Amino acid sequence: MALVVKKFGGSSVANAERVFNVARIITEDYKKGNDVVVVVSAQGDTTDDLIEKAVEINPGNRSKREMDMLLAAGEQISIALLAMAIEKLGFPVVSLLGWQAGFVTDSKYSVARIKNVNPERLRNELDKRSIVIVAGFQGVNKYDDVTTLGRGGSDTSAVAIAATLKADLCQIYTDVDGVYTADPRKIKGAKKLDEITYDEMLELATLGAQVLNNRSVEMAKKYNVELEVLSSLEQKPGTIVKEVTSMEKMLVKGVACDTDIIIVSIIGLKDAPGIAFKVFNQLSRKNVNVDIILQSVGRHGTKDITFTVPKGQKAETLEAIENIRPLIAFDDLVIKDTVGKVSIVGAGMETHPGVASKMFEALSDANINIQMISTSEIKISVLIDAVDCQKAVQVVHDAFHG
Amino acid sequence: MALVVKKFGGSSVANAERVFNVARIITEDYKKGNDVVVVVSAQGDTTDDLIEKAVEINPGNRSKREMDMLLAAGEQISIALLAMAIEKLGFPVVSLLGWQAGFVTDSKYSVARIKNVNPERLRNELDKRSIVIVAGFQGVNKYDDVTTLGRGGSDTSAVAIAATLKADLCQIYTDVDGVYTADPRKIKGAKKLDEITYDEMLELATLGAQVLNNRSVEMAKKYNVELEVLSSLEQKPGTIVKEVTSMEKMLVKGVACDTDIIIVSIIGLKDAPGIAFKVFNQLSRKNVNVDIILQSVGRHGTKDITFTVPKGQKAETLEAIENIRPLIAFDDLVIKDTVGKVSIVGAGMETHPGVASKMFEALSDANINIQMISTSEIKISVLIDAVDCQKAVQVVHDAFHG
């Protein structure tokens, strides 16, 4: 007897057939004697359809409050339909909206943060041995207004419930059957991982392996909620995400490539204190997400600062630098658009110096030029030319998992 | 400065263009300095679409609780879209779900009754000079579960808010521009009424002139809420429904015909006490709505009982009579399917004996045979052959309004 939280995304409940598939997964678990809480997203295209209606009526100045009110209807429909399917299979069930399930959030409409989950109603329903279906992605603020949690919000809802109820496991059902050592659609020999740590998962998610939403992994780590990423279409174990993985773990859990970045180099800055602060302070005011930063000594007592930012933030980045140009004075600004960041992720690699050299060797053997290198405790990233990305991931993956 | 409650049905907000039409009606009133609360139904076919989804998943044993959860999403969508349209026009607005607007109901899912409306949130929003858009048709019960009020529920929601806030007027916008003396699509010379009493409105609604839901008229009468029935497509005054209409009123407010009934005659009952009780007690146990009842003396010391029931309740009626056949013993059971009930409605007609004879004269002149007659304080009904219905309404209408 365990308490299990299961989360199903919109594509898992897109039509009646899939709703019944999910209903069967849920009731199979319930029949074993487990308490089951289920978090569901809106069906398939519902959210997009609702957004379209909103844009038709008010493309410009509609409020986020009303947008949240509108979008929250999507999960309301899916929880009721899933509950009806479970009723059809003959099991006790109750669907709950975000506010009914006790989700209290702040008032940042469309990107609200969960403040707490009042577990009373959830516990009462579980005590009655009901299967509980909860609308993901939504809550209420202190004014009793409906809020939504933003992209990936249903994952966060599921983890929050698991944390609140101290669930034994939080299962995130997706259309892939787990977390892989590399993207299995692109890299030969990519292997499914049995286990991965929260930190490794977070690094991989950042690298574009968007199996799990980062906020939900951070919350799972904070409250020590054991996650399982698994497929809603195949009945087999997925990947467990937890604090410490077993001893015989692979050193390198994943290899991934991110081409959604640009390199910005500020050349010939005066070599004086506070210059770097002024640059990055200004970028942070513009909410630019700076990733890798390198500073090197340039010619004639100047220095160069090079960093990466997401492609989508190029405009803000240039604007920020222009804003402070009078304050910092530099010779040149160089932008490089066609760049790829190849990273390997694995807890414990900082104590194995051989890991980095093995990666560099593989790239060198493949004649791929490394432009920048950045390392952290559990990650090594190199910046290379974008056209080499696919090949780079394959040779690095082969080196560690071949 | 007045407080006005406006209710718009689903067809009034069926698409973006109509949503803006409604938004303009609302903001025109707001601009005059009035406080405006608006009750909206689900858009056009939304409710039917949701019912279809539910039937696809669970045609048999889905619970009414989950059905209410599902259907309530329909109004959630329409209130958010209407609010966005009003935001687009540049006015302060807030949409509220049933529970947010304070609607507490009993727990009879799908046909819930309003227990009370907590006006706090509504008053707070009006104090801020916001236009308030409320989801009609829905509330919550004492368990915080979503309930719906059943057919015509949005009218009832509007009247309940008007009663709670002591609104100056409750306007029910429809696709007709008021209440007519007869169905204007069928009867030449049908006139729009400026005013009508609650009781007259109730009688006309029962007769199939379904402009207003009966529950809402009953509630308006109970709490003395002045109603106006008017068109959302034309900007002109509609029909006011209130307790007492002006002195120079028409005696006969409406003529209508109902062909959705059958006549049941139980012939040759024993002429003993308690026979009628047994018959109608049994019909009431089967929830059969008996309308006109006539009892007459038959041949050889027997009696006949004749009554009308809705066409849709024929099966229950026959079953009820068969059930008690051993107890009451009768000679024959005669059903007449093709019958029409023509009624005239008008407060005060009981003190004007000329009204009935004028009606009978008109029918006689048109060679229409009257089979049964029934009178109440504000209504006279006659049963005639169904084929004569249209003609009968026309000649009676001509007699009073020609």
PDB file of all heavy atoms in Angstrom, chain B residues 245-259:
ATOM      1  N   THR B 245     -49.378  46.050 -12.826  1.00  0.00           N
ATOM      2  CA  THR B 245     -49.172  46.837 -14.038  1.00  0.00           C
ATOM      3  C   THR B 245     -50.104  48.037 -14.014  1.00  0.00           C
ATOM      4  O   THR B 245     -50.983  48.137 -13.168  1.00  0.00           O
ATOM      5  CB  THR B 245     -49.427  45.978 -15.289  1.00  0.00           C
ATOM      6  OG1 THR B 245     -50.723  45.404 -15.188  1.00  0.00           O
ATOM      7  CG2 THR B 245     -48.388  44.885 -15.405  1.00  0.00           C
ATOM      8  N   SER B 246     -49.930  48.958 -14.915  1.00  0.00           N
ATOM      9  CA  SER B 246     -50.676  50.216 -14.871  1.00  0.00           C
ATOM     10  C   SER B 246     -52.165  49.979 -15.074  1.00  0.00           C
ATOM     11  O   SER B 246     -52.596  48.948 -15.563  1.00  0.00           O
ATOM     12  CB  SER B 246     -50.134  51.169 -15.938  1.00  0.00           C
ATOM     13  OG  SER B 246     -50.358  50.601 -17.207  1.00  0.00           O
ATOM     14  N   MET B 247     -52.970  50.946 -14.668  1.00  0.00           N
ATOM     15  CA  MET B 247     -54.418  50.793 -14.633  1.00  0.00           C
ATOM     16  C   MET B 247     -55.024  50.561 -16.012  1.00  0.00           C
ATOM     17  O   MET B 247     -55.954  49.788 -16.165  1.00  0.00           O
ATOM     18  CB  MET B 247     -55.052  52.032 -13.998  1.00  0.00           C
ATOM     19  CG  MET B 247     -54.696  52.228 -12.537  1.00  0.00           C
ATOM     20  SD  MET B 247     -55.212  50.820 -11.505  1.00  0.00           S
ATOM     21  CE  MET B 247     -56.999  51.098 -11.461  1.00  0.00           C
ATOM     22  N   GLU B 248     -54.520  51.239 -16.990  1.00  0.00           N
ATOM     23  CA  GLU B 248     -55.117  51.124 -18.320  1.00  0.00           C
ATOM     24  C   GLU B 248     -54.651  49.866 -19.033  1.00  0.00           C
ATOM     25  O   GLU B 248     -54.381  49.869 -20.213  1.00  0.00           O
ATOM     26  CB  GLU B 248     -54.763  52.341 -19.181  1.00  0.00           C
ATOM     27  CG  GLU B 248     -55.180  53.656 -18.621  1.00  0.00           C
ATOM     28  CD  GLU B 248     -54.054  54.334 -17.835  1.00  0.00           C
ATOM     29  OE1 GLU B 248     -53.251  53.638 -17.174  1.00  0.00           O
ATOM     30  OE2 GLU B 248     -53.997  55.543 -17.885  1.00  0.00           O
ATOM     31  N   LYS B 249     -54.534  48.816 -18.265  1.00  0.00           N
ATOM     32  CA  LYS B 249     -53.980  47.596 -18.841  1.00  0.00           C
ATOM     33  C   LYS B 249     -55.002  46.889 -19.726  1.00  0.00           C
ATOM     34  O   LYS B 249     -56.206  47.055 -19.579  1.00  0.00           O
ATOM     35  CB  LYS B 249     -53.556  46.669 -17.724  1.00  0.00           C
ATOM     36  CG  LYS B 249     -54.725  46.147 -16.894  1.00  0.00           C
ATOM     37  CD  LYS B 249     -54.239  45.450 -15.652  1.00  0.00           C
ATOM     38  CE  LYS B 249     -55.426  45.151 -14.734  1.00  0.00           C
ATOM     39  NZ  LYS B 249     -54.986  44.676 -13.433  1.00  0.00           N
ATOM     40  N   MET B 250     -54.468  46.090 -20.615  1.00  0.00           N
ATOM     41  CA  MET B 250     -55.330  45.194 -21.380  1.00  0.00           C
ATOM     42  C   MET B 250     -55.832  44.105 -20.448  1.00  0.00           C
ATOM     43  O   MET B 250     -55.099  43.654 -19.575  1.00  0.00           O
ATOM     44  CB  MET B 250     -54.525  44.528 -22.484  1.00  0.00           C
ATOM     45  CG  MET B 250     -54.249  45.424 -23.658  1.00  0.00           C
ATOM     46  SD  MET B 250     -53.238  44.527 -24.847  1.00  0.00           S
ATOM     47  CE  MET B 250     -51.622  45.144 -24.429  1.00  0.00           C
ATOM     48  N   LEU B 251     -57.074  43.680 -20.640  1.00  0.00           N
ATOM     49  CA  LEU B 251     -57.614  42.627 -19.788  1.00  0.00           C
ATOM     50  C   LEU B 251     -56.959  41.283 -20.131  1.00  0.00           C
ATOM     51  O   LEU B 251     -56.583  40.517 -19.255  1.00  0.00           O
ATOM     52  CB  LEU B 251     -59.126  42.551 -19.987  1.00  0.00           C
ATOM     53  CG  LEU B 251     -59.906  41.926 -18.847  1.00  0.00           C
ATOM     54  CD1 LEU B 251     -59.572  42.595 -17.518  1.00  0.00           C
ATOM     55  CD2 LEU B 251     -61.389  42.034 -19.135  1.00  0.00           C
ATOM     56  N   VAL B 252     -56.846  41.030 -21.437  1.00  0.00           N
ATOM     57  CA  VAL B 252     -56.242  39.769 -21.864  1.00  0.00           C
ATOM     58  C   VAL B 252     -54.832  40.054 -22.379  1.00  0.00           C
ATOM     59  O   VAL B 252     -54.639  40.720 -23.378  1.00  0.00           O
ATOM     60  CB  VAL B 252     -57.088  39.098 -22.960  1.00  0.00           C
ATOM     61  CG1 VAL B 252     -56.345  37.892 -23.552  1.00  0.00           C
ATOM     62  CG2 VAL B 252     -58.428  38.658 -22.385  1.00  0.00           C
ATOM     63  N   LYS B 253     -53.843  39.518 -21.633  1.00  0.00           N
ATOM     64  CA  LYS B 253     -52.450  39.819 -21.981  1.00  0.00           C
ATOM     65  C   LYS B 253     -51.913  38.891 -23.066  1.00  0.00           C
ATOM     66  O   LYS B 253     -51.057  39.283 -23.851  1.00  0.00           O
ATOM     67  CB  LYS B 253     -51.567  39.696 -20.732  1.00  0.00           C
ATOM     68  CG  LYS B 253     -51.773  40.794 -19.725  1.00  0.00           C
ATOM     69  CD  LYS B 253     -51.235  42.122 -20.179  1.00  0.00           C
ATOM     70  CE  LYS B 253     -51.624  43.250 -19.251  1.00  0.00           C
ATOM     71  NZ  LYS B 253     -51.154  43.096 -17.882  1.00  0.00           N
ATOM     72  N   GLY B 254     -52.394  37.672 -23.049  1.00  0.00           N
ATOM     73  CA  GLY B 254     -51.828  36.758 -24.029  1.00  0.00           C
ATOM     74  C   GLY B 254     -52.758  35.634 -24.409  1.00  0.00           C
ATOM     75  O   GLY B 254     -53.622  35.226 -23.633  1.00  0.00           O
ATOM     76  N   VAL B 255     -52.576  35.176 -25.632  1.00  0.00           N
ATOM     77  CA  VAL B 255     -53.303  34.007 -26.114  1.00  0.00           C
ATOM     78  C   VAL B 255     -52.252  33.014 -26.589  1.00  0.00           C
ATOM     79  O   VAL B 255     -51.350  33.371 -27.347  1.00  0.00           O
ATOM     80  CB  VAL B 255     -54.230  34.368 -27.302  1.00  0.00           C
ATOM     81  CG1 VAL B 255     -55.051  33.151 -27.711  1.00  0.00           C
ATOM     82  CG2 VAL B 255     -55.111  35.542 -26.964  1.00  0.00           C
ATOM     83  N   ALA B 256     -52.363  31.780 -26.124  1.00  0.00           N
ATOM     84  CA  ALA B 256     -51.340  30.813 -26.511  1.00  0.00           C
ATOM     85  C   ALA B 256     -51.961  29.439 -26.669  1.00  0.00           C
ATOM     86  O   ALA B 256     -53.076  29.185 -26.216  1.00  0.00           O
ATOM     87  CB  ALA B 256     -50.236  30.755 -25.475  1.00  0.00           C
ATOM     88  N   CYS B 257     -51.225  28.595 -27.360  1.00  0.00           N
ATOM     89  CA  CYS B 257     -51.744  27.249 -27.594  1.00  0.00           C
ATOM     90  C   CYS B 257     -50.663  26.237 -27.248  1.00  0.00           C
ATOM     91  O   CYS B 257     -49.493  26.433 -27.558  1.00  0.00           O
ATOM     92  CB  CYS B 257     -52.136  27.111 -29.063  1.00  0.00           C
ATOM     93  SG  CYS B 257     -52.847  25.489 -29.387  1.00  0.00           S
ATOM     94  N   ASP B 258     -51.058  25.174 -26.588  1.00  0.00           N
ATOM     95  CA  ASP B 258     -50.122  24.118 -26.206  1.00  0.00           C
ATOM     96  C   ASP B 258     -50.642  22.798 -26.776  1.00  0.00           C
ATOM     97  O   ASP B 258     -51.734  22.359 -26.425  1.00  0.00           O
ATOM     98  CB  ASP B 258     -50.063  24.057 -24.675  1.00  0.00           C
ATOM     99  CG  ASP B 258     -49.096  22.989 -24.178  1.00  0.00           C
ATOM    100  OD1 ASP B 258     -48.389  22.391 -25.015  1.00  0.00           O
ATOM    101  OD2 ASP B 258     -49.056  22.765 -22.956  1.00  0.00           O
ATOM    102  N   THR B 259     -49.865  22.196 -27.689  1.00  0.00           N
ATOM    103  CA  THR B 259     -50.317  20.921 -28.279  1.00  0.00           C
ATOM    104  C   THR B 259     -49.519  19.741 -27.711  1.00  0.00           C
ATOM    105  O   THR B 259     -49.665  18.624 -28.166  1.00  0.00           O
ATOM    106  CB  THR B 259     -50.158  20.929 -29.818  1.00  0.00           C
ATOM    107  OG1 THR B 259     -48.810  21.269 -30.117  1.00  0.00           O
ATOM    108  CG2 THR B 259     -51.086  21.922 -30.469  1.00  0.00           C
TER     109      THR B 259
END
